[in-house]
Amino acid sequence: MENTPLYTALRRFAAQNPLRMHMPGHKGKPLPAPELAGLAAIDFTELPPTGNLFDGGGAIGEAEELWAKVFQMDSCLFLTGGSTQGGLAALTLACPPGSGLLLDRGCHRSAFHAMALLDLKPVYLPRPWLAEGAVTGPISPDEVEKQLLAHPEIKAVCITSPTYYGVLSDIPALAAVIHRHGGVLVVDGAHGAHLPFLGLDHFSAADLAVVSAHKTLPAPGQSALLLAGGRFSHRNLRRAGAIYGSSSPSYPMMAALDLCRAHMLEEGAAAYQKTAEEVAALRRDFPALTARHAPLDPTRLTLLSPHGFAAQERLEGLGVWPEMADGGHVVLIPTCADGAEDFARLRQALEQVELGPCPAFPPPPPLPEGVLTPRQALFSPGEDRPLCQAEGEIAAFPVAPYPPGVPVVAPGERIEKKTIAYLDQIGYNSDCRICV
């Protein structure tokens, strides 16, 4: 495989048979398991021949620059702590401590943790409810405009695109609105690392974007990327990433990111195009979210079922393990690693599963009253309590059933009677964490 600066540098150094009087403790000798044995050879610490992730430059910097070009962004930082590390770093860059944030209600829990750590004051962006598909739809540029006019002090906006269900928002249109107000757009694109290899320039209009290579590309768990436009330098990314990342990042994971990009450019992109074709055929032949419902990732397969959890259990019994299910959906993540035999097996299994229209889930209720900031809620003493006994209490953690996959109650909000009634109506009866 060509043009893999980091992987090549690590192999070259390992081939010199250096006497490793440094970390890690395996000293390059095979790890005590056949599945892991070969990783040790290129697992180094920060040395002149191997480079330092948070110092910049060297073979790591070269590999990051090649990824930035893939996404048509100005800079890229390798993440070995997943998109969680990237989301924390991105909001640290976008939001001064104590400032306001316009936040997509469906953002990952790391965004709520970032708000607590930075003492941010959220204003939540609602998503439209798509009744036919029983999911929330794209973020509206008009709604963003409305909220920024109502809250001119807010200069940072964070949204998720694509969502877990594959719904895409119009990033260029949102960026145009936000930039007109002098703001910064952060995109949690954890589920969209593959989109450039399908010819979709989904992220380049954003100021900061986070993608999980491991979710949709041939890369190991926790490997991810933090990408930035010209507003934030590579030095900015390194400084913020170092706050939340290990000072001993995994060299095999970073080498895997380097190899992943080269593989995708050489053959993976063509394989992903075939995956998109297979998913389009499955969407035609089985009940599923389609572009008729919302703009979608071409490869996310969100099946519709009157009994989503039962459909998931049936698939698992047939040896097919979905990513997730809720009362009306089963979410599958086909990637370029799935070949013709995999899709044939999937199709055969789907023919044995009850699929069809979703139940008529109601839209989420109006937002509850905000009482505490996310920081006050997260760091307050708390206790677990059944929802039916939590009326009037303040949530310490999000209450986020699927669907809609967004918090019905966010940290610091009061748990109201109408909220409990809604959650009961959709069959959500888990305990919740309250502030005491």
Side-chain angles (χ1 to χ4, degrees), residues 102-140:
L102 186 58
L103 182 71
D104 173 3
R105 186 83 170 183
C107 276
H108 187 260
R109 64 182 181 182
S110 60
F112 292 89
H113 294 164
M115 288 194 295
L117 292 170
L118 298 168
D119 198 19
L120 304 181
K121 312 302 188 292
V123 172
Y124 291 110
L125 264 173
R127 284 179 175 264
W129 180 248
L130 308 179
E132 184 180 355
V135 295
T136 53
I139 294 288
S140 163

PDB file of all heavy atoms in Angstrom, residues 102-140:
ATOM      1  N   LEU A 102     -25.640  26.915  21.310  1.00  0.00           N
ATOM      2  CA  LEU A 102     -26.854  26.462  20.638  1.00  0.00           C
ATOM      3  C   LEU A 102     -26.612  25.005  20.235  1.00  0.00           C
ATOM      4  O   LEU A 102     -25.777  24.722  19.378  1.00  0.00           O
ATOM      5  CB  LEU A 102     -27.146  27.336  19.419  1.00  0.00           C
ATOM      6  CG  LEU A 102     -28.469  27.091  18.685  1.00  0.00           C
ATOM      7  CD1 LEU A 102     -29.659  27.260  19.618  1.00  0.00           C
ATOM      8  CD2 LEU A 102     -28.587  28.044  17.487  1.00  0.00           C
ATOM      9  N   LEU A 103     -27.322  24.080  20.875  1.00  0.00           N
ATOM     10  CA  LEU A 103     -27.005  22.655  20.783  1.00  0.00           C
ATOM     11  C   LEU A 103     -28.163  21.860  20.218  1.00  0.00           C
ATOM     12  O   LEU A 103     -29.297  21.956  20.693  1.00  0.00           O
ATOM     13  CB  LEU A 103     -26.658  22.109  22.177  1.00  0.00           C
ATOM     14  CG  LEU A 103     -26.256  20.641  22.236  1.00  0.00           C
ATOM     15  CD1 LEU A 103     -24.882  20.427  21.625  1.00  0.00           C
ATOM     16  CD2 LEU A 103     -26.269  20.139  23.682  1.00  0.00           C
ATOM     17  N   ASP A 104     -27.857  21.075  19.209  1.00  0.00           N
ATOM     18  CA  ASP A 104     -28.781  20.064  18.712  1.00  0.00           C
ATOM     19  C   ASP A 104     -29.138  19.144  19.874  1.00  0.00           C
ATOM     20  O   ASP A 104     -28.273  18.556  20.511  1.00  0.00           O
ATOM     21  CB  ASP A 104     -28.061  19.296  17.591  1.00  0.00           C
ATOM     22  CG  ASP A 104     -28.829  18.092  17.075  1.00  0.00           C
ATOM     23  OD1 ASP A 104     -29.964  17.843  17.522  1.00  0.00           O
ATOM     24  OD2 ASP A 104     -28.269  17.395  16.209  1.00  0.00           O
ATOM     25  N   ARG A 105     -30.399  19.021  20.133  1.00  0.00           N
ATOM     26  CA  ARG A 105     -30.849  18.225  21.284  1.00  0.00           C
ATOM     27  C   ARG A 105     -30.390  16.764  21.179  1.00  0.00           C
ATOM     28  O   ARG A 105     -30.261  16.075  22.184  1.00  0.00           O
ATOM     29  CB  ARG A 105     -32.368  18.310  21.341  1.00  0.00           C
ATOM     30  CG  ARG A 105     -33.023  17.674  22.546  1.00  0.00           C
ATOM     31  CD  ARG A 105     -33.015  18.582  23.735  1.00  0.00           C
ATOM     32  NE  ARG A 105     -33.853  18.046  24.805  1.00  0.00           N
ATOM     33  CZ  ARG A 105     -34.079  18.650  25.949  1.00  0.00           C
ATOM     34  NH1 ARG A 105     -33.540  19.821  26.202  1.00  0.00           N
ATOM     35  NH2 ARG A 105     -34.848  18.098  26.867  1.00  0.00           N
ATOM     36  N   GLY A 106     -30.123  16.312  19.950  1.00  0.00           N
ATOM     37  CA  GLY A 106     -29.738  14.921  19.744  1.00  0.00           C
ATOM     38  C   GLY A 106     -28.252  14.671  19.764  1.00  0.00           C
ATOM     39  O   GLY A 106     -27.811  13.602  19.323  1.00  0.00           O
ATOM     40  N   CYS A 107     -27.451  15.595  20.241  1.00  0.00           N
ATOM     41  CA  CYS A 107     -26.007  15.392  20.258  1.00  0.00           C
ATOM     42  C   CYS A 107     -25.604  14.285  21.229  1.00  0.00           C
ATOM     43  O   CYS A 107     -26.321  13.957  22.168  1.00  0.00           O
ATOM     44  CB  CYS A 107     -25.285  16.687  20.632  1.00  0.00           C
ATOM     45  SG  CYS A 107     -25.021  17.790  19.224  1.00  0.00           S
ATOM     46  N   HIS A 108     -24.432  13.738  20.992  1.00  0.00           N
ATOM     47  CA  HIS A 108     -23.868  12.671  21.812  1.00  0.00           C
ATOM     48  C   HIS A 108     -23.698  13.145  23.250  1.00  0.00           C
ATOM     49  O   HIS A 108     -23.553  14.339  23.518  1.00  0.00           O
ATOM     50  CB  HIS A 108     -22.515  12.271  21.222  1.00  0.00           C
ATOM     51  CG  HIS A 108     -21.885  11.074  21.851  1.00  0.00           C
ATOM     52  ND1 HIS A 108     -20.887  11.173  22.795  1.00  0.00           N
ATOM     53  CD2 HIS A 108     -22.112   9.748  21.673  1.00  0.00           C
ATOM     54  CE1 HIS A 108     -20.521   9.957  23.166  1.00  0.00           C
ATOM     55  NE2 HIS A 108     -21.236   9.073  22.503  1.00  0.00           N
ATOM     56  N   ARG A 109     -23.692  12.195  24.168  1.00  0.00           N
ATOM     57  CA  ARG A 109     -23.594  12.568  25.587  1.00  0.00           C
ATOM     58  C   ARG A 109     -22.304  13.315  25.895  1.00  0.00           C
ATOM     59  O   ARG A 109     -22.236  14.066  26.882  1.00  0.00           O
ATOM     60  CB  ARG A 109     -23.696  11.326  26.471  1.00  0.00           C
ATOM     61  CG  ARG A 109     -22.570  10.326  26.304  1.00  0.00           C
ATOM     62  CD  ARG A 109     -22.772   9.115  27.188  1.00  0.00           C
ATOM     63  NE  ARG A 109     -21.682   8.162  27.053  1.00  0.00           N
ATOM     64  CZ  ARG A 109     -21.640   6.995  27.684  1.00  0.00           C
ATOM     65  NH1 ARG A 109     -22.631   6.646  28.481  1.00  0.00           N
ATOM     66  NH2 ARG A 109     -20.624   6.184  27.513  1.00  0.00           N
ATOM     67  N   SER A 110     -21.256  13.144  25.062  1.00  0.00           N
ATOM     68  CA  SER A 110     -20.016  13.878  25.304  1.00  0.00           C
ATOM     69  C   SER A 110     -20.237  15.384  25.200  1.00  0.00           C
ATOM     70  O   SER A 110     -19.529  16.163  25.852  1.00  0.00           O
ATOM     71  CB  SER A 110     -18.917  13.435  24.334  1.00  0.00           C
ATOM     72  OG  SER A 110     -19.293  13.668  22.986  1.00  0.00           O
ATOM     73  N   ALA A 111     -21.217  15.808  24.383  1.00  0.00           N
ATOM     74  CA  ALA A 111     -21.521  17.242  24.309  1.00  0.00           C
ATOM     75  C   ALA A 111     -22.093  17.733  25.639  1.00  0.00           C
ATOM     76  O   ALA A 111     -21.778  18.844  26.091  1.00  0.00           O
ATOM     77  CB  ALA A 111     -22.503  17.518  23.174  1.00  0.00           C
ATOM     78  N   PHE A 112     -22.913  16.919  26.280  1.00  0.00           N
ATOM     79  CA  PHE A 112     -23.461  17.294  27.584  1.00  0.00           C
ATOM     80  C   PHE A 112     -22.354  17.311  28.636  1.00  0.00           C
ATOM     81  O   PHE A 112     -22.345  18.154  29.534  1.00  0.00           O
ATOM     82  CB  PHE A 112     -24.582  16.332  27.971  1.00  0.00           C
ATOM     83  CG  PHE A 112     -25.804  16.469  27.104  1.00  0.00           C
ATOM     84  CD1 PHE A 112     -25.930  15.730  25.938  1.00  0.00           C
ATOM     85  CD2 PHE A 112     -26.805  17.355  27.433  1.00  0.00           C
ATOM     86  CE1 PHE A 112     -27.045  15.863  25.129  1.00  0.00           C
ATOM     87  CE2 PHE A 112     -27.937  17.500  26.633  1.00  0.00           C
ATOM     88  CZ  PHE A 112     -28.047  16.753  25.471  1.00  0.00           C
ATOM     89  N   HIS A 113     -21.403  16.374  28.510  1.00  0.00           N
ATOM     90  CA  HIS A 113     -20.267  16.375  29.433  1.00  0.00           C
ATOM     91  C   HIS A 113     -19.393  17.606  29.211  1.00  0.00           C
ATOM     92  O   HIS A 113     -18.893  18.205  30.170  1.00  0.00           O
ATOM     93  CB  HIS A 113     -19.446  15.102  29.249  1.00  0.00           C
ATOM     94  CG  HIS A 113     -20.180  13.862  29.643  1.00  0.00           C
ATOM     95  ND1 HIS A 113     -19.783  12.599  29.267  1.00  0.00           N
ATOM     96  CD2 HIS A 113     -21.308  13.685  30.393  1.00  0.00           C
ATOM     97  CE1 HIS A 113     -20.631  11.702  29.765  1.00  0.00           C
ATOM     98  NE2 HIS A 113     -21.559  12.349  30.447  1.00  0.00           N
ATOM     99  N   ALA A 114     -19.208  17.973  27.951  1.00  0.00           N
ATOM    100  CA  ALA A 114     -18.419  19.177  27.661  1.00  0.00           C
ATOM    101  C   ALA A 114     -19.081  20.411  28.259  1.00  0.00           C
ATOM    102  O   ALA A 114     -18.396  21.292  28.797  1.00  0.00           O
ATOM    103  CB  ALA A 114     -18.245  19.343  26.150  1.00  0.00           C
ATOM    104  N   MET A 115     -20.406  20.488  28.157  1.00  0.00           N
ATOM    105  CA  MET A 115     -21.098  21.637  28.738  1.00  0.00           C
ATOM    106  C   MET A 115     -20.884  21.698  30.244  1.00  0.00           C
ATOM    107  O   MET A 115     -20.724  22.788  30.808  1.00  0.00           O
ATOM    108  CB  MET A 115     -22.595  21.571  28.409  1.00  0.00           C
ATOM    109  CG  MET A 115     -22.908  21.865  26.960  1.00  0.00           C
ATOM    110  SD  MET A 115     -24.676  22.186  26.683  1.00  0.00           S
ATOM    111  CE  MET A 115     -25.397  20.609  27.088  1.00  0.00           C
ATOM    112  N   ALA A 116     -20.878  20.529  30.883  1.00  0.00           N
ATOM    113  CA  ALA A 116     -20.655  20.517  32.331  1.00  0.00           C
ATOM    114  C   ALA A 116     -19.227  20.932  32.660  1.00  0.00           C
ATOM    115  O   ALA A 116     -18.995  21.737  33.570  1.00  0.00           O
ATOM    116  CB  ALA A 116     -20.944  19.127  32.889  1.00  0.00           C
ATOM    117  N   LEU A 117     -18.262  20.401  31.927  1.00  0.00           N
ATOM    118  CA  LEU A 117     -16.861  20.715  32.206  1.00  0.00           C
ATOM    119  C   LEU A 117     -16.550  22.188  31.954  1.00  0.00           C
ATOM    120  O   LEU A 117     -15.755  22.797  32.678  1.00  0.00           O
ATOM    121  CB  LEU A 117     -15.950  19.834  31.350  1.00  0.00           C
ATOM    122  CG  LEU A 117     -15.954  18.340  31.701  1.00  0.00           C
ATOM    123  CD1 LEU A 117     -15.205  17.553  30.637  1.00  0.00           C
ATOM    124  CD2 LEU A 117     -15.344  18.106  33.076  1.00  0.00           C
ATOM    125  N   LEU A 118     -17.158  22.766  30.924  1.00  0.00           N
ATOM    126  CA  LEU A 118     -16.874  24.152  30.533  1.00  0.00           C
ATOM    127  C   LEU A 118     -17.889  25.139  31.107  1.00  0.00           C
ATOM    128  O   LEU A 118     -17.776  26.341  30.862  1.00  0.00           O
ATOM    129  CB  LEU A 118     -16.856  24.271  29.004  1.00  0.00           C
ATOM    130  CG  LEU A 118     -15.788  23.432  28.296  1.00  0.00           C
ATOM    131  CD1 LEU A 118     -16.056  23.397  26.798  1.00  0.00           C
ATOM    132  CD2 LEU A 118     -14.397  23.994  28.572  1.00  0.00           C
ATOM    133  N   ASP A 119     -18.883  24.628  31.846  1.00  0.00           N
ATOM    134  CA  ASP A 119     -19.948  25.453  32.431  1.00  0.00           C
ATOM    135  C   ASP A 119     -20.669  26.260  31.352  1.00  0.00           C
ATOM    136  O   ASP A 119     -20.897  27.464  31.502  1.00  0.00           O
ATOM    137  CB  ASP A 119     -19.392  26.379  33.514  1.00  0.00           C
ATOM    138  CG  ASP A 119     -20.499  26.919  34.422  1.00  0.00           C
ATOM    139  OD1 ASP A 119     -21.585  26.315  34.441  1.00  0.00           O
ATOM    140  OD2 ASP A 119     -20.270  27.934  35.103  1.00  0.00           O
ATOM    141  N   LEU A 120     -21.033  25.576  30.264  1.00  0.00           N
ATOM    142  CA  LEU A 120     -21.740  26.233  29.166  1.00  0.00           C
ATOM    143  C   LEU A 120     -23.233  26.317  29.468  1.00  0.00           C
ATOM    144  O   LEU A 120     -23.789  25.478  30.177  1.00  0.00           O
ATOM    145  CB  LEU A 120     -21.513  25.476  27.857  1.00  0.00           C
ATOM    146  CG  LEU A 120     -20.055  25.276  27.442  1.00  0.00           C
ATOM    147  CD1 LEU A 120     -19.980  24.535  26.112  1.00  0.00           C
ATOM    148  CD2 LEU A 120     -19.333  26.624  27.356  1.00  0.00           C
ATOM    149  N   LYS A 121     -23.863  27.338  28.890  1.00  0.00           N
ATOM    150  CA  LYS A 121     -25.292  27.565  29.080  1.00  0.00           C
ATOM    151  C   LYS A 121     -26.006  27.206  27.779  1.00  0.00           C
ATOM    152  O   LYS A 121     -25.919  27.928  26.795  1.00  0.00           O
ATOM    153  CB  LYS A 121     -25.565  29.030  29.446  1.00  0.00           C
ATOM    154  CG  LYS A 121     -24.666  29.589  30.562  1.00  0.00           C
ATOM    155  CD  LYS A 121     -24.769  28.803  31.847  1.00  0.00           C
ATOM    156  CE  LYS A 121     -24.034  29.485  33.005  1.00  0.00           C
ATOM    157  NZ  LYS A 121     -22.578  29.517  32.852  1.00  0.00           N
ATOM    158  N   PRO A 122     -26.735  26.078  27.751  1.00  0.00           N
ATOM    159  CA  PRO A 122     -27.304  25.630  26.484  1.00  0.00           C
ATOM    160  C   PRO A 122     -28.631  26.284  26.139  1.00  0.00           C
ATOM    161  O   PRO A 122     -29.458  26.582  27.006  1.00  0.00           O
ATOM    162  CB  PRO A 122     -27.508  24.129  26.725  1.00  0.00           C
ATOM    163  CG  PRO A 122     -27.780  24.031  28.196  1.00  0.00           C
ATOM    164  CD  PRO A 122     -26.941  25.101  28.841  1.00  0.00           C
ATOM    165  N   VAL A 123     -28.809  26.503  24.844  1.00  0.00           N
ATOM    166  CA  VAL A 123     -30.120  26.726  24.255  1.00  0.00           C
ATOM    167  C   VAL A 123     -30.290  25.583  23.266  1.00  0.00           C
ATOM    168  O   VAL A 123     -29.414  25.354  22.416  1.00  0.00           O
ATOM    169  CB  VAL A 123     -30.213  28.089  23.541  1.00  0.00           C
ATOM    170  CG1 VAL A 123     -31.521  28.194  22.766  1.00  0.00           C
ATOM    171  CG2 VAL A 123     -30.080  29.226  24.539  1.00  0.00           C
ATOM    172  N   TYR A 124     -31.381  24.833  23.364  1.00  0.00           N
ATOM    173  CA  TYR A 124     -31.505  23.607  22.588  1.00  0.00           C
ATOM    174  C   TYR A 124     -32.219  23.842  21.262  1.00  0.00           C
ATOM    175  O   TYR A 124     -33.238  24.521  21.184  1.00  0.00           O
ATOM    176  CB  TYR A 124     -32.244  22.543  23.396  1.00  0.00           C
ATOM    177  CG  TYR A 124     -31.426  22.044  24.563  1.00  0.00           C
ATOM    178  CD1 TYR A 124     -31.792  22.350  25.872  1.00  0.00           C
ATOM    179  CD2 TYR A 124     -30.281  21.285  24.359  1.00  0.00           C
ATOM    180  CE1 TYR A 124     -31.043  21.893  26.948  1.00  0.00           C
ATOM    181  CE2 TYR A 124     -29.523  20.831  25.428  1.00  0.00           C
ATOM    182  CZ  TYR A 124     -29.899  21.137  26.712  1.00  0.00           C
ATOM    183  OH  TYR A 124     -29.155  20.696  27.771  1.00  0.00           O
ATOM    184  N   LEU A 125     -31.641  23.222  20.226  1.00  0.00           N
ATOM    185  CA  LEU A 125     -32.215  23.278  18.889  1.00  0.00           C
ATOM    186  C   LEU A 125     -33.192  22.125  18.710  1.00  0.00           C
ATOM    187  O   LEU A 125     -32.786  20.957  18.799  1.00  0.00           O
ATOM    188  CB  LEU A 125     -31.105  23.131  17.839  1.00  0.00           C
ATOM    189  CG  LEU A 125     -30.511  24.384  17.233  1.00  0.00           C
ATOM    190  CD1 LEU A 125     -29.314  24.012  16.363  1.00  0.00           C
ATOM    191  CD2 LEU A 125     -31.547  25.141  16.426  1.00  0.00           C
ATOM    192  N   PRO A 126     -34.435  22.402  18.450  1.00  0.00           N
ATOM    193  CA  PRO A 126     -35.374  21.302  18.195  1.00  0.00           C
ATOM    194  C   PRO A 126     -35.190  20.739  16.791  1.00  0.00           C
ATOM    195  O   PRO A 126     -34.740  21.430  15.874  1.00  0.00           O
ATOM    196  CB  PRO A 126     -36.741  21.976  18.336  1.00  0.00           C
ATOM    197  CG  PRO A 126     -36.503  23.405  17.941  1.00  0.00           C
ATOM    198  CD  PRO A 126     -35.099  23.727  18.406  1.00  0.00           C
ATOM    199  N   ARG A 127     -35.525  19.472  16.625  1.00  0.00           N
ATOM    200  CA  ARG A 127     -35.581  18.841  15.309  1.00  0.00           C
ATOM    201  C   ARG A 127     -37.042  18.542  14.976  1.00  0.00           C
ATOM    202  O   ARG A 127     -37.824  18.181  15.861  1.00  0.00           O
ATOM    203  CB  ARG A 127     -34.790  17.529  15.296  1.00  0.00           C
ATOM    204  CG  ARG A 127     -33.278  17.682  15.239  1.00  0.00           C
ATOM    205  CD  ARG A 127     -32.607  16.315  15.255  1.00  0.00           C
ATOM    206  NE  ARG A 127     -31.163  16.410  15.078  1.00  0.00           N
ATOM    207  CZ  ARG A 127     -30.533  16.268  13.920  1.00  0.00           C
ATOM    208  NH1 ARG A 127     -31.240  16.022  12.817  1.00  0.00           N
ATOM    209  NH2 ARG A 127     -29.221  16.356  13.840  1.00  0.00           N
ATOM    210  N   PRO A 128     -37.415  18.641  13.713  1.00  0.00           N
ATOM    211  CA  PRO A 128     -38.803  18.305  13.347  1.00  0.00           C
ATOM    212  C   PRO A 128     -39.059  16.811  13.519  1.00  0.00           C
ATOM    213  O   PRO A 128     -38.158  15.988  13.331  1.00  0.00           O
ATOM    214  CB  PRO A 128     -38.880  18.709  11.869  1.00  0.00           C
ATOM    215  CG  PRO A 128     -37.468  18.660  11.374  1.00  0.00           C
ATOM    216  CD  PRO A 128     -36.616  19.062  12.542  1.00  0.00           C
ATOM    217  N   TRP A 129     -40.276  16.462  13.886  1.00  0.00           N
ATOM    218  CA  TRP A 129     -40.660  15.064  14.057  1.00  0.00           C
ATOM    219  C   TRP A 129     -41.245  14.546  12.745  1.00  0.00           C
ATOM    220  O   TRP A 129     -42.198  15.105  12.208  1.00  0.00           O
ATOM    221  CB  TRP A 129     -41.677  14.934  15.176  1.00  0.00           C
ATOM    222  CG  TRP A 129     -42.136  13.524  15.423  1.00  0.00           C
ATOM    223  CD1 TRP A 129     -43.381  13.012  15.185  1.00  0.00           C
ATOM    224  CD2 TRP A 129     -41.354  12.450  15.963  1.00  0.00           C
ATOM    225  NE1 TRP A 129     -43.424  11.691  15.541  1.00  0.00           N
ATOM    226  CE2 TRP A 129     -42.193  11.316  16.016  1.00  0.00           C
ATOM    227  CE3 TRP A 129     -40.032  12.337  16.389  1.00  0.00           C
ATOM    228  CZ2 TRP A 129     -41.756  10.079  16.491  1.00  0.00           C
ATOM    229  CZ3 TRP A 129     -39.592  11.112  16.865  1.00  0.00           C
ATOM    230  CH2 TRP A 129     -40.444  10.007  16.919  1.00  0.00           C
ATOM    231  N   LEU A 130     -40.653  13.491  12.202  1.00  0.00           N
ATOM    232  CA  LEU A 130     -41.121  12.880  10.968  1.00  0.00           C
ATOM    233  C   LEU A 130     -42.023  11.707  11.343  1.00  0.00           C
ATOM    234  O   LEU A 130     -41.551  10.603  11.622  1.00  0.00           O
ATOM    235  CB  LEU A 130     -39.935  12.416  10.118  1.00  0.00           C
ATOM    236  CG  LEU A 130     -38.857  13.474   9.850  1.00  0.00           C
ATOM    237  CD1 LEU A 130     -37.724  12.889   9.009  1.00  0.00           C
ATOM    238  CD2 LEU A 130     -39.456  14.707   9.178  1.00  0.00           C
ATOM    239  N   ALA A 131     -43.320  11.963  11.365  1.00  0.00           N
ATOM    240  CA  ALA A 131     -44.257  10.989  11.918  1.00  0.00           C
ATOM    241  C   ALA A 131     -44.247   9.673  11.146  1.00  0.00           C
ATOM    242  O   ALA A 131     -44.300   8.590  11.746  1.00  0.00           O
ATOM    243  CB  ALA A 131     -45.662  11.577  11.934  1.00  0.00           C
ATOM    244  N   GLU A 132     -44.158   9.727   9.833  1.00  0.00           N
ATOM    245  CA  GLU A 132     -44.227   8.496   9.040  1.00  0.00           C
ATOM    246  C   GLU A 132     -43.038   7.572   9.334  1.00  0.00           C
ATOM    247  O   GLU A 132     -43.185   6.361   9.459  1.00  0.00           O
ATOM    248  CB  GLU A 132     -44.272   8.826   7.551  1.00  0.00           C
ATOM    249  CG  GLU A 132     -44.449   7.597   6.679  1.00  0.00           C
ATOM    250  CD  GLU A 132     -44.496   7.922   5.194  1.00  0.00           C
ATOM    251  OE1 GLU A 132     -44.476   9.127   4.840  1.00  0.00           O
ATOM    252  OE2 GLU A 132     -44.528   6.976   4.392  1.00  0.00           O
ATOM    253  N   GLY A 133     -41.858   8.167   9.455  1.00  0.00           N
ATOM    254  CA  GLY A 133     -40.672   7.368   9.745  1.00  0.00           C
ATOM    255  C   GLY A 133     -40.389   7.216  11.219  1.00  0.00           C
ATOM    256  O   GLY A 133     -39.534   6.427  11.610  1.00  0.00           O
ATOM    257  N   ALA A 134     -41.113   7.981  12.060  1.00  0.00           N
ATOM    258  CA  ALA A 134     -40.945   7.949  13.520  1.00  0.00           C
ATOM    259  C   ALA A 134     -39.511   8.235  13.939  1.00  0.00           C
ATOM    260  O   ALA A 134     -38.960   7.576  14.814  1.00  0.00           O
ATOM    261  CB  ALA A 134     -41.424   6.625  14.101  1.00  0.00           C
ATOM    262  N   VAL A 135     -38.899   9.237  13.287  1.00  0.00           N
ATOM    263  CA  VAL A 135     -37.578   9.722  13.681  1.00  0.00           C
ATOM    264  C   VAL A 135     -37.584  11.248  13.596  1.00  0.00           C
ATOM    265  O   VAL A 135     -38.486  11.847  13.013  1.00  0.00           O
ATOM    266  CB  VAL A 135     -36.448   9.168  12.770  1.00  0.00           C
ATOM    267  CG1 VAL A 135     -36.319   7.662  12.915  1.00  0.00           C
ATOM    268  CG2 VAL A 135     -36.671   9.563  11.309  1.00  0.00           C
ATOM    269  N   THR A 136     -36.576  11.851  14.178  1.00  0.00           N
ATOM    270  CA  THR A 136     -36.436  13.287  14.035  1.00  0.00           C
ATOM    271  C   THR A 136     -35.710  13.599  12.731  1.00  0.00           C
ATOM    272  O   THR A 136     -34.840  12.849  12.290  1.00  0.00           O
ATOM    273  CB  THR A 136     -35.662  13.886  15.217  1.00  0.00           C
ATOM    274  OG1 THR A 136     -34.419  13.200  15.374  1.00  0.00           O
ATOM    275  CG2 THR A 136     -36.469  13.797  16.497  1.00  0.00           C
ATOM    276  N   GLY A 137     -36.064  14.733  12.131  1.00  0.00           N
ATOM    277  CA  GLY A 137     -35.532  15.105  10.825  1.00  0.00           C
ATOM    278  C   GLY A 137     -34.328  16.023  10.914  1.00  0.00           C
ATOM    279  O   GLY A 137     -33.728  16.211  11.982  1.00  0.00           O
ATOM    280  N   PRO A 138     -33.945  16.621   9.787  1.00  0.00           N
ATOM    281  CA  PRO A 138     -32.761  17.484   9.742  1.00  0.00           C
ATOM    282  C   PRO A 138     -32.953  18.771  10.532  1.00  0.00           C
ATOM    283  O   PRO A 138     -34.070  19.262  10.714  1.00  0.00           O
ATOM    284  CB  PRO A 138     -32.604  17.785   8.245  1.00  0.00           C
ATOM    285  CG  PRO A 138     -33.477  16.820   7.526  1.00  0.00           C
ATOM    286  CD  PRO A 138     -34.574  16.465   8.459  1.00  0.00           C
ATOM    287  N   ILE A 139     -31.839  19.336  10.973  1.00  0.00           N
ATOM    288  CA  ILE A 139     -31.843  20.654  11.602  1.00  0.00           C
ATOM    289  C   ILE A 139     -32.207  21.691  10.552  1.00  0.00           C
ATOM    290  O   ILE A 139     -31.667  21.700   9.438  1.00  0.00           O
ATOM    291  CB  ILE A 139     -30.463  20.983  12.198  1.00  0.00           C
ATOM    292  CG1 ILE A 139     -30.137  20.039  13.360  1.00  0.00           C
ATOM    293  CG2 ILE A 139     -30.374  22.429  12.644  1.00  0.00           C
ATOM    294  CD1 ILE A 139     -30.926  20.289  14.612  1.00  0.00           C
ATOM    295  N   SER A 140     -33.106  22.592  10.887  1.00  0.00           N
ATOM    296  CA  SER A 140     -33.573  23.614   9.952  1.00  0.00           C
ATOM    297  C   SER A 140     -32.697  24.868  10.027  1.00  0.00           C
ATOM    298  O   SER A 140     -32.524  25.443  11.110  1.00  0.00           O
ATOM    299  CB  SER A 140     -35.018  23.998  10.282  1.00  0.00           C
ATOM    300  OG  SER A 140     -35.382  25.216   9.675  1.00  0.00           O
TER     301      SER A 140
END
